[in-house]
Amino acid sequence: MKFFIDTANLDEIKEANALGILDGVTTNPSLMAKDGVTGQNNILKRYVDICEIVDGDVSAEVISTDFAGIVKEGEHLAALHENIVVKVPMIKDGVKALKHFSDNGIRTNCTLVFSAGQAILAAKAGATYVSPFIGRIDDITWDGVGLIAQMVEIYANYGYQTEILAASIRSPLHIVSCAELGADVVTAPLKAILGLLNHPLTDIGLEKFLADYRKGNS
Ligand code: G3P
């Protein structure tokens, strides 16, 4: 399973990258705004800065919602750096644009996916990645992890090549559940990634090993 970090914050990206387990980055307009990155030029510069830190796919989201606008914007984003994957919303013109990008060798991430039906459309349109937002589904008391299970089954039925990129991850448990089901990628905040490290028995065991070493060497 590939690990992406879901942030526009360069320090967080550097920290995750330094762990040596980072395969890519996802961003969105809200994450850019949260990090104080506003205005087209600053946003484009941030994408390039991220691409120069991480040797992996970096999702850059279009703002247009019409076919011509999505295509123009997506081509511009894709030309910024070879790591860029164009993030396209799951809307009618977005599906058309996914097919256009797929036919023209531009890699894509279909975002804002909340149902198996939408996931089928993304795969049929040739999206490179599809992003089901599992945390936001849980937020409305539906089953986000259940959607991953459904998608894994459907994609396997037809050999769809689109990679399932579990997004809107809220916890380490979400990451483990996605791994159990065979999601291709998870994109998670740094806190959820670092949360995977934690186990009280590790802390207790390490404390004892170090104490015993000190006893034998004092
Ligand atoms: O990758 C999509 C993700 O950023 C959405 O996460 O936490 O805003 O639901 P969240």
Side-chain angles (χ1 to χ4, degrees), residues 58-171:
V58 174
S59 289
E61 187 154 344
V62 299
I63 309 303
S64 305
T65 53
D66 64 293
F67 175 75
I70 294 172
V71 168
K72 188 171 171 210
E73 215 186 316
E75 285 172 349
H76 186 60
L77 289 170
L80 286 177
H81 195 283
E82 62 185 0
N83 291 1
I84 293 285
V85 172
V86 179
K87 210 170 180 188
V88 178
M90 172 39 73
I91 55 177
K92 201 175 190 180
D93 279 31
V95 172
K96 284 189 213 168
L98 288 169
K99 179 72 171 79
H100 173 86
F101 288 136
S102 167
D103 289 344
N104 287 278
I106 290 180
R107 295 176 310 130
T108 52
N109 174 359
C110 180
T111 189
L112 290 168
V113 165
F114 295 92
S115 75
Q118 292 177 324
I120 292 170
L121 284 177
K124 289 287 291 177
T128 312
Y129 296 103
V130 59
S131 290
F133 277 27
I134 69 173
R136 292 193 195 182
I137 294 175
D138 289 356
D139 288 345
I140 59 162
T141 67
W142 287 9
D143 180 8
V145 169
L147 174 59
I148 301 295
Q150 233 183 334
M151 287 172 59
V152 168
E153 182 181 351
I154 292 168
Y155 280 24
N157 284 346
Y158 299 101
Y160 289 143
Q161 295 302 300
T162 299
E163 293 189 49
I164 298 171
L165 193 171
S168 184
I169 295 282
R170 301 269 194 260
S171 66

